[in-house]
Amino acid sequence: MSSPKSNTALERLGHDLRSARLSRRIAVTDLAERAGTSAKTIQRLEKGDPKVAVGTLANVLVSLGLVEKLADLVDVRKDDLGLALSSERTPQRGRSFAASLRRRKPTDDKDEPDDVDPDGVAF
């Protein structure tokens, strides 16, 4: 079940797709053929039907020359909330692998050779 907000966004997307198609003077049947789908599916997409597959949307965008818009849909570089939350969780000071080895308690097994030198050199 779709939320009212997502329905509104999908209807706007459909309207914009229809406008893009009409400005390019492409018939529904021609766009459907180029996108590898049916004319009925194009009509549903233009009406904002939430049951149309994302892959179909991608194929339509390719056919219209707008596929880069899909790639920018969720651009993490522009996600202010995500960036803020990520920076809160990022440690201010990191610990090197060699330092973590030095902090590790020595084991009683002297028979096994060390795989890593405490200075970080692997053998």
Side-chain angles (χ1 to χ4, degrees):
M1 184 168 145
S2 300
S3 72
K5 285 185 179 182
S6 66
N7 285 338
T8 302
L10 288 172
E11 287 171 6
R12 185 173 143 221
L13 173 66
H15 177 15
D16 291 347
L17 286 172
R18 178 177 163 77
S19 296
R21 177 181 61 78
L22 292 174
S23 68
R24 288 164 175 74
R25 299 174 192 229
I26 301 172
V28 172
T29 54
D30 292 338
L31 181 59
E33 187 175 324
R34 291 179 191 178
T37 190
S38 68
K40 183 77 172 167
T41 301
I42 298 297
Q43 291 170 344
R44 288 177 39 222
L45 184 61
E46 289 181 353
K47 288 181 181 178
D49 185 348
K51 295 178 183 171
V52 177
V54 173
T56 302
L57 171 62
N59 290 337
V60 168
L61 291 174
V62 167
S63 300
L64 293 172
L66 298 170
V67 74
E68 71 279 351
K69 302 293 185 185
L70 182 63
D72 291 338
L73 190 60
V74 183
D75 187 353
V76 295
R77 296 170 298 222
K78 297 176 184 175
D79 180 11
D80 295 331
L81 177 60
L83 291 171
L85 292 172
S86 178
S87 67
E88 285 178 7
R89 284 184 245 133
T90 304
Q92 298 301 316
R93 181 174 165 223
R95 175 167 280 135
S96 72
F97 181 68
S100 65
L101 284 177
R102 281 187 221 113
R103 292 183 53 124
R104 194 183 321 168
K105 294 180 182 177
T107 59
D108 291 336
D109 295 335
K110 298 293 182 185
D111 297 336
E112 295 182 24
D114 289 339
D115 290 337
V116 179
D117 184 17
D119 294 326
V121 179
F123 294 102

